[in-house]
PDB file of all heavy atoms in Angstrom:
ATOM      1  N   VAL A 947       9.616  17.920   0.020  1.00 98.00           N
ATOM      2  CA  VAL A 947       9.522  17.279   1.323  1.00 98.00           C
ATOM      3  C   VAL A 947       9.084  18.333   2.346  1.00 98.00           C
ATOM      4  O   VAL A 947       9.636  19.428   2.377  1.00 98.00           O
ATOM      5  CB  VAL A 947      10.876  16.669   1.754  1.00 98.00           C
ATOM      6  CG1 VAL A 947      10.764  16.064   3.155  1.00 98.00           C
ATOM      7  CG2 VAL A 947      11.347  15.627   0.756  1.00 98.00           C
ATOM      8  N   ILE A 948       8.086  17.992   3.154  1.00 98.00           N
ATOM      9  CA  ILE A 948       7.639  18.864   4.230  1.00 98.00           C
ATOM     10  C   ILE A 948       8.152  18.276   5.537  1.00 98.00           C
ATOM     11  O   ILE A 948       7.834  17.131   5.869  1.00 98.00           O
ATOM     12  CB  ILE A 948       6.102  18.976   4.273  1.00 98.00           C
ATOM     13  CG1 ILE A 948       5.576  19.443   2.922  1.00 98.00           C
ATOM     14  CG2 ILE A 948       5.661  19.938   5.381  1.00 98.00           C
ATOM     15  CD1 ILE A 948       4.079  19.281   2.760  1.00 98.00           C
ATOM     16  N   ASP A 949       8.969  19.023   6.240  1.00 98.00           N
ATOM     17  CA  ASP A 949       9.553  18.566   7.511  1.00 98.00           C
ATOM     18  C   ASP A 949       9.191  19.592   8.581  1.00 98.00           C
ATOM     19  O   ASP A 949       9.927  20.544   8.831  1.00 98.00           O
ATOM     20  CB  ASP A 949      11.076  18.430   7.346  1.00 98.00           C
ATOM     21  CG  ASP A 949      11.752  17.837   8.579  1.00 98.00           C
ATOM     22  OD1 ASP A 949      11.071  17.667   9.609  1.00 98.00           O
ATOM     23  OD2 ASP A 949      12.965  17.539   8.504  1.00 98.00           O
ATOM     24  N   LEU A 950       8.014  19.391   9.186  1.00 98.00           N
ATOM     25  CA  LEU A 950       7.506  20.330  10.180  1.00 98.00           C
ATOM     26  C   LEU A 950       6.982  19.555  11.391  1.00 98.00           C
ATOM     27  O   LEU A 950       6.038  18.770  11.261  1.00 98.00           O
ATOM     28  CB  LEU A 950       6.368  21.184   9.593  1.00 98.00           C
ATOM     29  CG  LEU A 950       6.748  22.149   8.455  1.00 98.00           C
ATOM     30  CD1 LEU A 950       5.501  22.766   7.847  1.00 98.00           C
ATOM     31  CD2 LEU A 950       7.686  23.236   8.976  1.00 98.00           C
ATOM     32  N   PRO A 951       7.571  19.750  12.570  1.00 98.00           N
ATOM     33  CA  PRO A 951       7.169  18.997  13.765  1.00 98.00           C
ATOM     34  C   PRO A 951       5.766  19.382  14.239  1.00 98.00           C
ATOM     35  O   PRO A 951       5.360  20.539  14.128  1.00 98.00           O
ATOM     36  CB  PRO A 951       8.235  19.383  14.797  1.00 98.00           C
ATOM     37  CG  PRO A 951       8.730  20.719  14.345  1.00 98.00           C
ATOM     38  CD  PRO A 951       8.655  20.714  12.856  1.00 98.00           C
ATOM     39  N   MET A 952       5.042  18.402  14.776  1.00 98.00           N
ATOM     40  CA  MET A 952       3.645  18.599  15.134  1.00 98.00           C
ATOM     41  C   MET A 952       3.362  18.260  16.592  1.00 98.00           C
ATOM     42  O   MET A 952       4.042  17.436  17.190  1.00 98.00           O
ATOM     43  CB  MET A 952       2.753  17.729  14.236  1.00 98.00           C
ATOM     44  CG  MET A 952       2.802  18.092  12.773  1.00 98.00           C
ATOM     45  SD  MET A 952       1.923  16.889  11.740  1.00 98.00           S
ATOM     46  CE  MET A 952       0.301  16.847  12.536  1.00 98.00           C
ATOM     47  N   ILE A 953       2.324  18.912  17.122  1.00 98.00           N
ATOM     48  CA  ILE A 953       1.881  18.653  18.484  1.00 98.00           C
ATOM     49  C   ILE A 953       0.372  18.908  18.536  1.00 98.00           C
ATOM     50  O   ILE A 953      -0.169  19.661  17.721  1.00 98.00           O
ATOM     51  CB  ILE A 953       2.624  19.567  19.487  1.00 98.00           C
ATOM     52  CG1 ILE A 953       2.428  19.079  20.926  1.00 98.00           C
ATOM     53  CG2 ILE A 953       2.196  21.010  19.332  1.00 98.00           C
ATOM     54  CD1 ILE A 953       3.322  19.797  21.935  1.00 98.00           C
ATOM     55  N   ALA A 954      -0.306  18.283  19.499  1.00 97.00           N
ATOM     56  CA  ALA A 954      -1.742  18.506  19.647  1.00 97.00           C
ATOM     57  C   ALA A 954      -2.021  19.961  20.021  1.00 97.00           C
ATOM     58  O   ALA A 954      -1.338  20.532  20.866  1.00 97.00           O
ATOM     59  CB  ALA A 954      -2.318  17.570  20.700  1.00 97.00           C
ATOM     60  N   ASP A 955      -3.027  20.547  19.388  1.00 97.00           N
ATOM     61  CA  ASP A 955      -3.463  21.905  19.698  1.00 97.00           C
ATOM     62  C   ASP A 955      -4.597  21.783  20.715  1.00 97.00           C
ATOM     63  O   ASP A 955      -5.778  21.847  20.377  1.00 97.00           O
ATOM     64  CB  ASP A 955      -3.940  22.590  18.410  1.00 97.00           C
ATOM     65  CG  ASP A 955      -4.263  24.060  18.617  1.00 97.00           C
ATOM     66  OD1 ASP A 955      -4.141  24.540  19.764  1.00 97.00           O
ATOM     67  OD2 ASP A 955      -4.645  24.721  17.635  1.00 97.00           O
ATOM     68  N   TRP A 956      -4.238  21.578  21.989  1.00 95.00           N
ATOM     69  CA  TRP A 956      -5.201  21.203  23.021  1.00 95.00           C
ATOM     70  C   TRP A 956      -6.407  22.125  23.139  1.00 95.00           C
ATOM     71  O   TRP A 956      -7.542  21.648  23.281  1.00 95.00           O
ATOM     72  CB  TRP A 956      -4.496  21.057  24.370  1.00 95.00           C
ATOM     73  CG  TRP A 956      -3.597  19.858  24.395  1.00 95.00           C
ATOM     74  CD1 TRP A 956      -2.243  19.837  24.362  1.00 95.00           C
ATOM     75  CD2 TRP A 956      -3.999  18.484  24.417  1.00 95.00           C
ATOM     76  NE1 TRP A 956      -1.764  18.548  24.356  1.00 95.00           N
ATOM     77  CE2 TRP A 956      -2.831  17.690  24.389  1.00 95.00           C
ATOM     78  CE3 TRP A 956      -5.243  17.840  24.443  1.00 95.00           C
ATOM     79  CZ2 TRP A 956      -2.848  16.303  24.405  1.00 95.00           C
ATOM     80  CZ3 TRP A 956      -5.275  16.445  24.461  1.00 95.00           C
ATOM     81  CH2 TRP A 956      -4.089  15.704  24.440  1.00 95.00           C
ATOM     82  N   PRO A 957      -6.242  23.453  23.088  1.00 95.00           N
ATOM     83  CA  PRO A 957      -7.434  24.311  23.193  1.00 95.00           C
ATOM     84  C   PRO A 957      -8.386  24.154  22.005  1.00 95.00           C
ATOM     85  O   PRO A 957      -9.559  24.517  22.095  1.00 95.00           O
ATOM     86  CB  PRO A 957      -6.847  25.733  23.236  1.00 95.00           C
ATOM     87  CG  PRO A 957      -5.426  25.549  23.641  1.00 95.00           C
ATOM     88  CD  PRO A 957      -5.005  24.240  23.057  1.00 95.00           C
ATOM     89  N   ASN A 958      -7.871  23.621  20.907  1.00 95.00           N
ATOM     90  CA  ASN A 958      -8.678  23.500  19.678  1.00 95.00           C
ATOM     91  C   ASN A 958      -8.784  22.046  19.211  1.00 95.00           C
ATOM     92  O   ASN A 958      -8.798  21.773  18.020  1.00 95.00           O
ATOM     93  CB  ASN A 958      -8.066  24.355  18.564  1.00 95.00           C
ATOM     94  CG  ASN A 958      -8.028  25.823  18.927  1.00 95.00           C
ATOM     95  OD1 ASN A 958      -9.057  26.432  19.158  1.00 95.00           O
ATOM     96  ND2 ASN A 958      -6.829  26.375  19.003  1.00 95.00           N
TER      97      ASN A 958
END
Side-chain angles (χ1 to χ4, degrees):
V947 177
I948 304 167
D949 185 352
L950 294 172
M952 296 172 54
I953 194 170
D955 187 359
W956 290 107
N958 299 299

